[in-house]
Amino acid sequence: MAPIKKGVLERLNAGEVVIGDGGFVFALEKRGYVKAGPWTPEVTVTHPEAVRQLHREFLRAGANVMQAYTFYASDDKLENRGQTLKITGAQINEAACDLAKQVAGEGDALAAAGVCQTPSYLSCKSETDVKAVFKKQLDVFVKKNVDFLIAEYFEHVEEAVWAVEVLKTSGKPVAASMCIGPEGDMHGVPAGECAVRLVKAGAQIVGVNCHFDPMTCVKAVKLMKEGVEKAGLKAHYMVQPLAYHVPDSTYLGYTELPEFPFALEPRTVTRWDVHKYAREAYKAGIRFIGGCCGFEPYHIRAVAEELAAERGIMPAGSEKHGMWGAGLEMHTKPWVRARCRREYWENLLPASGRPKCASLSTPESWGVTKGHADLLQHKEATTTQEMKHALEMQKKAKSSG
Amino acid sequence: MAPIKKGVLERLNAGEVVIGDGGFVFALEKRGYVKAGPWTPEVTVTHPEAVRQLHREFLRAGANVMQAYTFYASDDKLENRGQTLKITGAQINEAACDLAKQVAGEGDALAAAGVCQTPSYLSCKSETDVKAVFKKQLDVFVKKNVDFLIAEYFEHVEEAVWAVEVLKTSGKPVAASMCIGPEGDMHGVPAGECAVRLVKAGAQIVGVNCHFDPMTCVKAVKLMKEGVEKAGLKAHYMVQPLAYHVPDSTYLGYTELPEFPFALEPRTVTRWDVHKYAREAYKAGIRFIGGCCGFEPYHIRAVAEELAAERGIMPAGSEKHGMWGAGLEMHTKPWVRARCRREYWENLLPASGRPKCASLSTPESWGVTKGHADLLQHKEATTTQEMKHALEMQKKAKSSG
Amino acid sequence: MAPIKKGVLERLNAGEVVIGDGGFVFALEKRGYVKAGPWTPEVTVTHPEAVRQLHREFLRAGANVMQAYTFYASDDKLENRGQTLKITGAQINEAACDLAKQVAGEGDALAAAGVCQTPSYLSCKSETDVKAVFKKQLDVFVKKNVDFLIAEYFEHVEEAVWAVEVLKTSGKPVAASMCIGPEGDMHGVPAGECAVRLVKAGAQIVGVNCHFDPMTCVKAVKLMKEGVEKAGLKAHYMVQPLAYHVPDSTYLGYTELPEFPFALEPRTVTRWDVHKYAREAYKAGIRFIGGCCGFEPYHIRAVAEELAAERGIMPAGSEKHGMWGAGLEMHTKPWVRARCRREYWENLLPASGRPKCASLSTPESWGVTKGHADLLQHKEATTTQEMKHALEMQKKAKSSG
Amino acid sequence: MAPIKKGVLERLNAGEVVIGDGGFVFALEKRGYVKAGPWTPEVTVTHPEAVRQLHREFLRAGANVMQAYTFYASDDKLENRGQTLKITGAQINEAACDLAKQVAGEGDALAAAGVCQTPSYLSCKSETDVKAVFKKQLDVFVKKNVDFLIAEYFEHVEEAVWAVEVLKTSGKPVAASMCIGPEGDMHGVPAGECAVRLVKAGAQIVGVNCHFDPMTCVKAVKLMKEGVEKAGLKAHYMVQPLAYHVPDSTYLGYTELPEFPFALEPRTVTRWDVHKYAREAYKAGIRFIGGCCGFEPYHIRAVAEELAAERGIMPAGSEKHGMWGAGLEMHTKPWVRARCRREYWENLLPASGRPKCASLSTPESWGVTKGHADLLQHKEATTTQEMKHALEMQKKAKSSG
């Protein structure tokens, strides 16, 4: 019989670092199993071995959390924009929990499952309707008995609070993570205030994920921490940023950048950028540190390597990685061997190899958020009329850039 | 019983496009199974499921060739630079062939196996010694009965010819691919002349792989084709470039760039860059089109999508990818929906998000090649004296940059 | 007898645009008459024809203000850092006023003279001492009877107020311009508050010059205007920015950028950037619009051309310039002729031709201001000890960048 | 009576460095006296003081050659494209010679005058017709008795040879300078071959000017030198490049770059770039070293400062410039004082301050040269039909870029 693992709160209460995993949506899109646009996770049912392999890579990289791949696995999302629902949300959520639990059992990791923002909320459905969507997912998570729950990728604190309220009914630990930056949520609620509301709703861990680059996300969580402490409350903090440099995004995050989602490659962070991020997050008092879109297993390994001394453990995957490039000592070319050291990589400013591209873009800020007609979601395919309108808006955004 | 597949030469003789796979070394380094520096493929023995999964992703992306992961799997390389040989070359090569054959059997793909440049050659061993290294690997490939053979990643045509001569003894089709650019091999032999020698040695397919970016590699293969045709010979052509933009590399290729191997991220090509590359390669008369380091499954899928009309088939993986971004029609945000079309992605110049980085680097051109003391390979670990010399050379290269 | 010209306040009260001139210090440094480092204007005495020519070029470009070249022409500055005082401040100021008045008389321009921040203030001398420095300069300006006075290039509002108080004693109109950005003065006084104090001290025109790029300066003046209006006061507004793009500078301005002062070339604004700046300033309600360091005659002409309709006049220099590049219609090469139109130039994003340079720098923020020992000014040459300290600070700033 | 100066050939024969001046066309365009498009030098007649001042600045910067401002001062050019000829070529050439001779007399400089490529040649006029154009200008130069002659800015060696043949009839020393790069003239004649033809036609000095950046021009002159020496001939060499970085231009030079002529600012070379250029030119055996478009007085001073030891003299203008930034020792801010040394400036990679601009552009290569209908020059204004054609060509060039 396996020894009973410490839960996520026990670990955090003990001051331990909990390493999150990376981004399944983008990683599996590149591997060929997720479709950009709908972004839904049918792959847990259709190609479980691909999902299992990715879980294992993150585990090997040092992750302590196997997050069931349930992102956008709510029925209202699955029906979105002209897709025929062949696989139900329940089927996906069940398969996802099974995979996460299986791999978590292979190492020192916990299985988590989560809900995220819904088309229902964006389309101005009622609190009751939106909560029903979350509840349907929660029922599976409870049945599968995952270790803890995550309400993540919320742009509006109002919806995030609803999600926490639903998840809390399970009695399991709840983490709440918004996809906002230092400027706050889409309705202008400051980051600190968002955190306070989430803690009051019952989240034991709060933070941000996705939408912004690592250092920007750390900055946002710092503001959350300040807000929570100022309010006389207590919480743990988490951060799971993009693996992309997006200093040119506005408060709306990287989806506004012209490169989203198919030309973000030049913005990808290196493992050395991740070292700096992990250190900065740690110094800020954040103890649940992972990644979101763009974070591949080697990025998570870099978090684990940077914090190896603090954690007292090196990840299994480091058998295949020399700290700060030490493995290069065995390279064939002597000039590459000379790069086997921290000072070299820490100070390198990597070139893009693209002299005809700029370093920053102009975001296409349409400036619409929940409540705006352009954001109403529906089951029917995008109409010609809607697309015409979208193209006109695009052209307008460009010319004012 | 499975239908008998057409061989690689039958396909090429019929004018068909043969799509190669991507780069195992870099992909598996990022997934945590290959160590940068030695770069050797023990993973085929230790974690076969990770290799199998990557094969499957390339198959799903449209690849017709499952190349057994035998890169650097020669005993002289495995013993290089202070490593203890726990797993033999024979074990690795056998496991690699098994995996390639298994997955090839799951679709319309052939299993290939290959040899590449050896520490023995760089250390000035005799033709007999070097050929013995190749023969040892070939024995496994013959025993496992792969469909065809590839001599790849050769910097010196002399060694490549030796490899072809050994592989030819098997009676199987032989492809020969050098890691050179338009300026020719490390000893100054022009690309066209290299190709002629390889064809005369018996290679039916010639081309280049690795070291340069897609368009540069196509240029090099064009020179090879011109050379072969001028010599009144006949051959098929192959190209498997880097998935990195490296216009700043010299004839020595990307290992000289300061970013190699741990900060190449900003140079990564997009799927749209791959569309242009696949078209250019096709127009140049190249019919074996794949990728090397940096090519992930989605890059290979882009080759298959660009040439879908010519091949009369879409890859399985395209069920999860709308041509030219068509899937974005189902995205939540209307401004992202407006990006669901070819014109948008074809003309986008992607930003790096790194305003404090330049777009090109200065290569650290030490200007040493086979025969130079700095390139002698040995089994012992790098000495302090050697490393001191390497660091001095690095400093010197920088200040003259 | 010449007709009596309208004064600067009459023009501004009538809602007219008053066009300032460009930067003498930098222009004459490049022409070989001003030494970077001390930056003092002995040239007015030694090579008056060079100064006169530059005045004429600005007049021809459309400037309505001939600003006597009295920048840093206070005796305490002239004695600074080991220079022997061969030419007195009085001599320089007299010659400067003569030149400005002469050229102003050749067209529709007024002669102004000014004072700027002093080493005495930076070295913590008393209000009485600092005011005595200004008074000495003012005596010459009054004797020469220039049309109005400018207190410009002040980093600390306290010293700027002292300057205005001295200049006001003359009874002439006084403009006050600080070298601050939207973040306020060196002691943290907000821009709006600075403006209020200057207006209360008696300045009829307030604004900013130097240190920041055109759009940033406009932003700062907007804050000043908001401050003044909120305080229920009235004033006119002026802006005379750098002709350099310096988005990477902190509140300390461009002297902190590593490129200052000898490698700013790639940052130079084009005439088209100036068109946008002039429009933006006009829209912000600023009516005294000119330039500072880097502004050459063609930049000032661009201000005049952009506002030609509002002013009802084209500058004399436009006989040698087609609006929005119209003169290119007569170029030899047809592809250059095709560039003879606004749409072309307005949307062009000019390349630097330097692929190995980044687009932004890291400022060397030492974070010292008035009151800090490092800023004490003295007559003696910089000592070896001081220079050693400075180099250590430089190294430290770099490594933390 | 003034001592008789050594002639240009005496100086060069003695191994002395002869420093040329900078670019009058661009400098005076920015000062407001030359119109971009026609680019003709009526200013010598209308505003002689502006021309005289620029000559003096170059003299003060160290130039040994006062080149009369006769560029494009041939009657066929003056009549080009709808301009009414108010001032004749003879008037301009006379005034230009007077100004050059006057200022040359004020220091150690020689007066030169020159001819350049003609609309007549581009429009396929006969050798007799083209030579008549040159002869008309030469008559003035002889009458004014300048010290030597320059045939410069020729894209086609055929026309350059005709110019040399005409100038040689005067008995004065003749320098011949083409605006070509390492790839040779517009008809594909290699640089070395161009030089040989010019020397055979009687030029004692050969080289290149304009169209390419400093290092590229030095490379082209090296090829000329190799050609001349290989042919067993003898000559002196000159180089007068652009002060712009244009690595992205093709053999056609900078007019093809989208930034020409009104957005070249970010490409401007620094004084430190000029130091490197002057050294490189000297090392290549070039002894007549100056500048063309973009070269301002401070750039020429940098040539003189770099070669001060070889020449045994510092330019007068260096009284206002500390070698390698030494004058900064007297700057107010201590962090700027720390920049008073060679190592700092020599290694600085200056940022553009434009993160939304790329570092390289795509040239608009229309690929037309002498003989093509698009290049026929005429007196009439550009027709609507012609302009429509030009805009179509521009659009086409862009989409294929």
Side-chain angles (χ1 to χ4, degrees), chain B residues 8-296:
Chain B
V8 68
L9 295 179
E10 285 173 277
R11 293 174 193 230
L12 293 170
N13 287 335
E16 290 175 29
V17 173
V18 172
I19 296 186
D21 58 9
F24 275 62
V25 182
F26 270 44
L28 289 171
E29 196 279 332
K30 288 186 176 167
R31 295 185 185 193
Y33 299 100
V34 169
K35 186 166 192 173
W39 302 111
T40 46
E42 292 85 350
V43 62
T44 53
V45 175
T46 61
H47 298 80
E49 77 286 359
V51 179
R52 187 184 301 115
Q53 174 63 25
L54 186 55
H55 276 307
R56 280 186 176 145
E57 292 170 16
F58 284 123
L59 182 71
R60 183 169 160 79
N64 301 120
V65 179
M66 293 297 107
Q67 195 171 335
Y69 183 29
T70 62
F71 187 79
Y72 273 171
S74 63
D75 285 342
D76 65 337
K77 181 70 197 177
L78 289 164
E79 288 171 352
N80 195 235
R81 296 274 153 187
Q83 296 197 90
T84 323
L85 188 61
K86 295 175 199 147
I87 302 173
T88 65
Q91 286 175 295
I92 294 171
N93 285 305
E94 290 200 10
C97 290
D98 287 343
L99 289 161
K101 288 196 67 171
Q102 180 194 348
V103 181
E106 295 171 9
D108 181 29
L110 303 167
V115 296
C116 64
Q117 68 179 14
T118 59
S120 298
Y121 180 79
L122 275 184
S123 302
C124 304
K125 294 279 173 67
S126 70
E127 179 177 344
T128 310
D129 286 350
V130 173
K131 284 186 163 176
V133 172
F134 297 140
K135 182 60 169 51
K136 214 164 151 185
Q137 287 186 265
L138 176 63
D139 288 344
V140 179
F141 306 156
V142 168
K143 175 177 143 193
K144 290 292 178 181
N145 195 27
V146 296
D147 296 310
F148 71 101
L149 303 170
I150 306 180
E152 74 171 355
Y153 198 74
F154 286 95
E155 288 179 315
H156 301 87
V157 69
E158 182 183 43
E159 190 186 12
V161 163
W162 295 350
V164 170
E165 288 169 353
V166 172
L167 298 184
K168 283 304 292 180
T169 63
S170 69
K172 288 183 184 293
V174 172
S177 173
M178 296 183 68
C179 53
I180 62 172
E183 295 182 61
D185 94 342
M186 296 307 101
H187 284 145
V189 184
E193 169 71 11
C194 287
V196 167
R197 290 198 206 170
L198 292 168
V199 172
K200 286 188 176 165
Q204 291 103 334
I205 309 166
V206 293
V208 304
N209 73 296
C210 206
H211 274 208
F212 297 94
D213 51 35
M215 291 312 200
T216 304
C217 283
V218 170
K219 209 178 289 178
V221 178
K222 275 184 183 174
L223 292 173
M224 285 185 153
K225 191 160 176 271
E226 282 171 29
V228 168
E229 289 170 358
K230 215 170 157 183
L233 299 170
K234 285 197 67 170
H236 296 293
Y237 300 92
M238 72 188 292
V239 63
Q240 305 215 87
L242 296 178
Y244 300 110
H245 289 284
V246 294
D248 34 4
S249 63
T250 69
Y251 72 101
L252 285 149
Y254 79 141
T255 69
E256 283 202 314
L257 293 177
E259 291 85 4
F260 177 86
F262 291 134
L264 290 163
E265 281 83 348
R267 298 174 176 271
T268 310
V269 302
T270 65
R271 58 196 79 192
W272 320 119
D273 291 327
V274 173
H275 271 270
K276 289 172 191 170
Y277 146 67
R279 180 56 51 200
E280 191 74 9
Y282 187 84
K283 282 186 351 199
I286 303 170
R287 289 294 176 269
F288 186 147
I289 303 172
C292 198
C293 299
F295 262 80
E296 298 277 350

Side-chain angles (χ1 to χ4, degrees), chain C residues 79-386:
Chain C
E79 286 170 353
N80 196 233
R81 296 275 153 188
Q83 297 197 90
T84 324
L85 188 61
K86 295 173 197 148
I87 304 173
T88 64
Q91 286 176 294
I92 293 171
N93 286 305
E94 291 201 9
C97 290
D98 288 343
L99 289 162
K101 288 195 66 169
Q102 180 193 346
V103 180
E106 296 171 9
D108 181 28
L110 302 168
V115 296
C116 64
Q117 68 179 15
T118 59
S120 298
Y121 180 79
L122 274 184
S123 302
C124 305
K125 295 275 174 69
S126 71
E127 180 176 344
T128 310
D129 286 349
V130 173
K131 283 187 163 174
V133 173
F134 297 140
K135 182 62 170 52
K136 214 166 153 184
Q137 288 186 265
L138 176 62
D139 288 344
V140 178
F141 306 158
V142 168
K143 176 177 144 194
K144 291 292 179 182
N145 194 26
V146 296
D147 297 308
F148 70 101
L149 302 170
I150 306 180
E152 75 171 355
Y153 196 76
F154 285 95
E155 288 178 317
H156 302 86
V157 69
E158 181 182 46
E159 190 185 12
V161 164
W162 294 350
V164 170
E165 288 169 353
V166 172
L167 298 183
K168 284 303 293 178
T169 63
S170 69
K172 290 185 182 292
V174 172
S177 173
M178 296 185 66
C179 51
I180 62 171
E183 296 181 61
D185 95 340
M186 295 308 101
H187 284 145
V189 184
E193 168 71 11
C194 288
V196 167
R197 291 199 205 169
L198 293 167
V199 172
K200 287 187 175 165
Q204 292 103 335
I205 309 167
V206 293
V208 304
N209 72 298
C210 206
H211 274 207
F212 297 93
D213 50 36
M215 291 311 199
T216 305
C217 282
V218 170
K219 209 177 289 179
V221 179
K222 276 183 182 175
L223 293 174
M224 286 184 153
K225 191 159 176 274
E226 282 170 29
V228 169
E229 290 170 356
K230 215 171 157 181
L233 300 169
K234 282 197 70 170
H236 296 292
Y237 300 93
M238 70 188 293
V239 62
Q240 305 214 89
L242 296 179
Y244 300 110
H245 290 283
V246 295
D248 33 4
S249 64
T250 69
Y251 72 101
L252 287 148
Y254 80 141
T255 69
E256 282 203 316
L257 292 177
E259 291 84 5
F260 177 86
F262 291 135
L264 291 164
E265 281 83 348
R267 296 174 178 271
T268 312
V269 302
T270 65
R271 59 196 76 194
W272 319 118
D273 292 326
V274 173
H275 271 269
K276 289 172 192 170
Y277 146 67
R279 180 56 51 200
E280 191 74 7
Y282 186 83
K283 283 187 347 198
I286 304 169
R287 288 294 177 270
F288 186 149
I289 303 171
C292 198
C293 299
F295 261 80
E296 298 278 349
Y298 75 106
H299 290 119
I300 292 299
R301 183 176 59 196
V303 174
E305 292 191 350
E306 174 64 26
L307 299 174
E310 285 79 3
R311 298 175 73 230
I313 190 173
M314 283 289 279
S318 292
E319 68 168 313
K320 293 294 181 186
H321 190 247
M323 272 290 265
W324 289 104
L328 297 181
E329 206 184 17
M330 283 176 284
H331 196 90
T332 313
K333 314 285 189 191
W335 57 86
V336 179
R337 288 204 291 277
R339 297 174 190 160
C340 67
R341 60 216 169 77
R342 175 171 185 159
E343 195 205 354
Y344 181 86
W345 294 108
E346 203 165 39
N347 295 309
L348 186 75
L349 288 166
S352 69
R354 290 173 169 87
K356 294 191 178 176
C357 295
S359 59
L360 298 183
S361 288
T362 301
E364 299 182 283
S365 303
W366 292 20
V368 298
T369 189
K370 187 228 167 187
H372 192 287
D374 284 348
L375 277 175
L376 292 183
Q377 310 292 312
H378 51 63
K379 297 184 186 181
E380 299 73 31
T382 303
T383 65
T384 312
Q385 188 61 23
E386 285 177 324

Side-chain angles (χ1 to χ4, degrees), chain C residues 29 32 60 77 155 258-260 265-266 268 271 298 329 333 339 341 344 351 353-354 359 364 382 394, chain D residues 29 32 60 155 258-260 265-266 268 298 329 332-333 339 341 344 351 353-354 359 364 382 394:
Chain C
E29 195 278 332
R60 183 171 161 77
K77 180 72 195 177
E155 288 178 317
E259 291 84 5
F260 177 86
E265 281 83 348
T268 312
R271 59 196 76 194
Y298 75 106
E329 206 184 17
K333 314 285 189 191
R339 297 174 190 160
R341 60 216 169 77
Y344 181 86
R354 290 173 169 87
S359 59
E364 299 182 283
T382 303
Q394 185 182 64
Chain D
E29 195 278 332
R60 182 171 162 77
E155 289 179 315
E259 292 85 4
F260 177 87
E265 282 83 349
T268 311
Y298 75 106
E329 207 183 15
T332 312
K333 313 283 189 192
R339 298 172 189 160
R341 59 216 169 75
Y344 181 86
R354 290 173 170 84
S359 58
E364 299 182 283
T382 303
Q394 184 183 66

